[in-house]
């Protein structure tokens, strides 16, 4: 395909045939129950707890990438790598299901190495346009008392800290974009959902599993979900979205590690 031409997202192609509807429905529910659906339920419970806790949301912290064994760095590293690897199991399951369907695995949703320049270029542009806006939204929501203080990392100062944060960011991107965009939209289309209904479901799910951060996290990720679905339908690939998401999280995780306590504008927990 020539540079700049548009790929059509598979989930929008008439005649995209998947498993029987009853099987597809059960499969989709099981995949979500093992991954982002469970995360959404957990985030709802966490948000309810934050709302009912003493003090305002901004006085509480949402912690990510925390240490599992602060005084035992090698054991801590083993736990960090274990967590990253097990979080990717649902992605491997989705790849298996799409391959068994005869769709060519993750290639059907545009997660491959066919167009690395396209994926990197478009992904970097999306990250640059969304990342700064997301930071401003977070700071504004926290100042308004609608968001918890997000602590992107709380790892000890060890040699593996930055590599683990980068790996965690890539893992987050892979799980979210492959499952909540590529796979979810494909299955909902095969189940007869309208394009707008599928967009709403994908975006609402993305916003909900970020609700543990507060209302700012919910709204920001809901809007991000709408943008990502529209871009996926335009480009027919999750590759650029995966790159964009990974870049945004890398900047958030590593940037926090480098700046926390050194600048006045960055809240710390």
């Amino acid at each position: 395909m020539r540079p700049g031409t548009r790929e059509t997202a598979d989930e929008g192609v008439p005649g995209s045939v998947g498993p029987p509807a009853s099987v597809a429905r059960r499969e989709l529910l099981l995949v979500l129950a093992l991954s982002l659906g469970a995360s959404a339920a957990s985030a709802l419970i966490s948000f309810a707890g934050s709302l009912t806790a003493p003090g305002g949301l901004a006085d509480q912290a949402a912690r990510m990438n925390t240490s599992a064994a602060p005084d035992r760095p090698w054991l801590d590293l083993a736990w960090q790598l274990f967590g990253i690897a097990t979080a990717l199991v649902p992605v491997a399951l989705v790849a298996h299901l799409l391959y068994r369907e005869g769709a060519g695995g993750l290639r059907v949703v545009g997660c491959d190495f066919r167009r690395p320049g396209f994926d990197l270029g478009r992904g970097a542009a999306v990250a640059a346009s969304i990342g700064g806006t997301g930071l401003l939204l977070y700071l504004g929501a926290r100042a308004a008392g609608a968001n918890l203080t997000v602590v992107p990392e709380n790892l000890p100062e060890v040699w593996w800290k930055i590599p683990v944060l980068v790996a965690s960011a890539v893992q987050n991107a892979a799980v979210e974009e492959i499952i909540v965009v590529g796979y979810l939209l494909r299955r909902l289309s095969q189940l007869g959902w309208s394009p707008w209904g599928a967009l709403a479901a994908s975006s609402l799910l993305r916003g909900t599993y970020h609700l543990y951060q507060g209302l700012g996290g919910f709204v920001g990720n809901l809007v991000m979900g709408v943008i990502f679905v529209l871009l996926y339908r335009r480009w027919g690939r999750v590759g650029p979205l995966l790159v964009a998401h990974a870049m945004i999280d890398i900047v958030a995780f590593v940037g926090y590690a480098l700046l926390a306590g050194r600048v006045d504008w960055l809240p710390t927990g």
Side-chain angles (χ1 to χ4, degrees):
M1 180 169 288
R2 297 186 306 277
T5 57
R6 175 182 181 274
E7 292 186 15
T8 302
D10 178 83
E11 56 85 23
V13 176
S16 174
V17 179
S22 59
V23 174
R25 194 174 296 109
R26 288 195 300 270
E27 173 195 294
L28 178 57
L29 291 174
L30 286 171
V31 168
L32 292 179
L34 291 171
S35 58
L36 296 171
S39 297
S42 173
L44 281 168
I45 296 171
S46 177
F47 184 60
S50 297
L51 285 177
T52 55
L57 291 179
D59 298 325
Q60 303 172 55
R63 303 183 185 278
M64 307 161 64
N65 297 303
T66 58
S67 176
D71 300 322
R72 305 179 66 184
W74 285 104
L75 179 62
D76 201 352
L77 175 60
W79 279 118
Q80 299 297 330
L81 297 178
F82 173 79
I84 291 169
T86 52
L88 289 170
V89 171
V91 174
L93 175 60
V94 164
H96 167 73
L97 294 170
L98 293 176
Y99 182 81
R100 190 179 65 174
E101 180 188 326
L106 295 181
R107 182 171 183 172
V108 73
V109 297
C111 183
D112 53 40
F113 296 102
R114 287 179 294 169
R115 305 185 67 190
F118 180 90
D119 293 344
L120 289 171
R122 299 297 173 92
V126 172
S129 61
I130 289 181
T133 304
L135 176 60
L136 292 175
L137 175 63
Y138 160 64
L139 294 175
R142 183 181 178 278
N147 217 79
L148 285 76
T149 298
V150 177
V151 181
E153 69 86 20
N154 187 30
L155 296 175
E157 296 297 329
V158 289
W159 64 268
W160 48 260
K161 177 175 181 174
I162 300 301
V164 161
L165 290 176
V166 172
S168 177
V170 173
Q171 170 250 298
N172 287 345
V175 172
E176 294 190 41
E177 305 316 324
I178 290 172
I179 294 178
V180 83
V181 177
Y183 172 75
L184 178 61
L185 292 181
R186 179 179 175 84
R187 281 292 181 262
L188 291 181
S189 175
Q190 291 167 339
L191 288 170
W193 283 52
S194 71
W196 289 110
L199 180 149
S202 175
S203 304
L204 184 60
L205 175 60
R206 187 189 294 266
T208 303
Y209 61 71
H210 284 95
L211 194 56
Y212 70 93
Q213 299 175 6
L215 293 176
F218 172 80
V219 173
N221 282 279
L222 178 69
V223 174
M224 179 177 167
V226 172
I227 294 171
F228 273 28
V229 168
L230 295 176
L231 291 177
Y232 173 67
R233 287 176 172 163
R234 179 176 179 82
W235 295 333
R237 298 182 58 77
V238 299
L241 309 182
L242 199 156
V243 169
H245 192 147
M247 287 184 172
I248 291 170
D249 278 9
I250 288 171
V251 171
F253 296 168
V254 177
Y256 185 90
L258 297 176
L259 297 176
R262 297 179 175 88
V263 295
D264 296 333
W265 55 266
L266 183 63
T268 57

